Amino acid sequence: MAGIDLGGTKIAAGLVDHQGRVLASRTLPTDAPSGPAAAMDRIAAAVRELAEEAGRRPQAVGVGAPGPLLLPEGRFVGTPNLPGWNGFALRDQLAGRLGLPVAVNNDANAAALAEARLGAGRGAEVMVYVTVGTGIGGGLVIGGRLFSGVNGNGVEIGHTTVDPDGPACGCGNRGCWEAVAAGPALGRLATERLGPPPGRPGGRWTARELLDAAAAGDERARAVAEEYARLLGIGLASAVNLFNPDRLVLGGGVMARYSLLAPAMEAEMRRRALPANLAAVRLVPAALGQDAGLVGAALLAWDLLDEPHPGADRR
């Protein structure tokens, strides 16, 4: 199967076999301002090149894309990360170019599916996946099957309100968990607490800079990282209370420093979540890294054809 991880700045395309291995892959620019039709042309060309390279034509294509999406129609409905793409019929346009069935879902959902079947969520009955990077996304897998809600926009956990008077969010609300605790919020918090980063007068910290400094032993940076981790823990407690999972898997760029953040993050989660739900859940880092979205997209294609999928015999 072919998997496409469509992001705001880049696209990962690959062919995935029945063991969940990526046989061949390409990374290409999204170039969102050039429009969705041009991006579909590039994706279709990449899939053809990959098929030739691997010596096999995929039976179907799965796409993980930024939401919100209207899944029954396979189209965008106002995604803030791809301005100007609103209403574009992603599924039908790509299927027409390739002559193949195409499955579409939210990118966080695709990554969640991969982690549930092949990664850190394998064997869980109810797995919640949370990705923390530029934004915060979520996915819910129950009994190996993805839950997407009525029209595909369920489990938008990053857009639950944690501070009604908090910072503005890209969704138009204020105080969303994403606005308070995604990567950019850590950079903002670090700048507020520490001033400009060393060597950059007037500059602002990035999440990576702060976490790197904390990991290197900077005590002031560690204090900010701990304060930030508690903000993450607040949202995780809501996930535990809402979904009662037995596995809570954390991925995304910020979670490259999982071991640094985990103690304060888990302590805050345990301070706020219901004891009965806490007794059932295990908090773990994601296992599949940057391939999770691509592999998960290919799993969407297997599900579309209702064929045995990678990980089907591993639960």
Side-chain angles (χ1 to χ4, degrees), residues 1-123:
M1 300 292 178
I4 310 297
D5 186 8
L6 172 59
T9 57
K10 63 183 177 67
I11 300 165
L15 294 186
V16 180
D17 71 8
H18 275 85
Q19 283 72 49
R21 297 175 302 193
V22 179
L23 301 175
S25 63
R26 295 274 191 285
T27 300
L28 47 149
T30 303
D31 190 16
S34 71
M40 294 306 106
D41 290 340
R42 290 192 293 276
I43 290 171
V47 171
R48 294 188 192 99
E49 291 170 6
L50 289 165
E52 185 174 346
E53 181 180 325
R56 62 175 77 180
R57 186 172 187 263
Q59 296 171 274
V61 180
V63 183
L69 300 161
L70 190 59
L71 283 196
E73 299 177 15
R75 63 180 175 87
F76 291 105
V77 284
T79 174
N81 294 325
L82 295 169
W85 291 37
N86 187 33
F88 183 76
L90 168 61
R91 182 191 63 200
D92 293 347
Q93 289 291 327
L94 187 56
R97 285 166 170 78
L98 287 170
L100 293 170
V102 174
V104 175
N105 212 311
N106 179 278
D107 49 5
N109 284 343
L113 194 61
E115 288 290 346
R117 293 183 181 172
L118 298 167
R122 197 169 61 196

Side-chain angles (χ1 to χ4, degrees), residues 118-270:
L118 298 167
R122 197 169 61 196
E125 181 59 30
V126 177
M127 187 210 78
V128 173
Y129 173 78
V130 176
T131 176
V132 185
T134 305
I136 294 179
L140 174 64
V141 180
I142 303 172
R145 289 288 175 179
L146 190 64
F147 173 83
S148 298
V150 172
N151 64 9
N153 296 302
V155 202
E156 283 285 355
I157 195 166
H159 297 292
T160 54
T161 301
V162 297
D163 180 359
D165 299 315
C169 182
C171 73
N173 196 7
R174 299 195 72 87
C176 290
W177 190 31
E178 175 171 297
V180 169
L186 173 55
R188 184 175 64 244
L189 180 66
T191 304
E192 289 172 359
R193 297 289 186 265
L194 306 177
R200 287 201 286 125
R204 301 180 63 83
W205 288 83
T206 66
R208 177 176 292 182
E209 287 172 338
L210 187 282
L211 293 172
D212 286 350
D218 184 317
E219 290 301 323
R220 296 175 70 221
R222 287 187 73 89
V224 173
E226 192 169 308
E227 180 181 354
Y228 169 73
R230 290 195 295 271
L231 296 171
L232 289 172
I234 291 170
L236 295 179
S238 294
V240 170
N241 288 344
L242 282 168
F243 303 116
N244 191 197
D246 53 336
R247 199 81 48 85
L248 184 49
V249 178
L250 299 184
V254 169
M255 286 303 141
R257 293 294 187 183
Y258 176 87
S259 60
L260 174 71
L261 297 168
M265 184 169 60
E266 185 163 5
E268 190 68 21
M269 179 189 81
R270 293 193 173 279

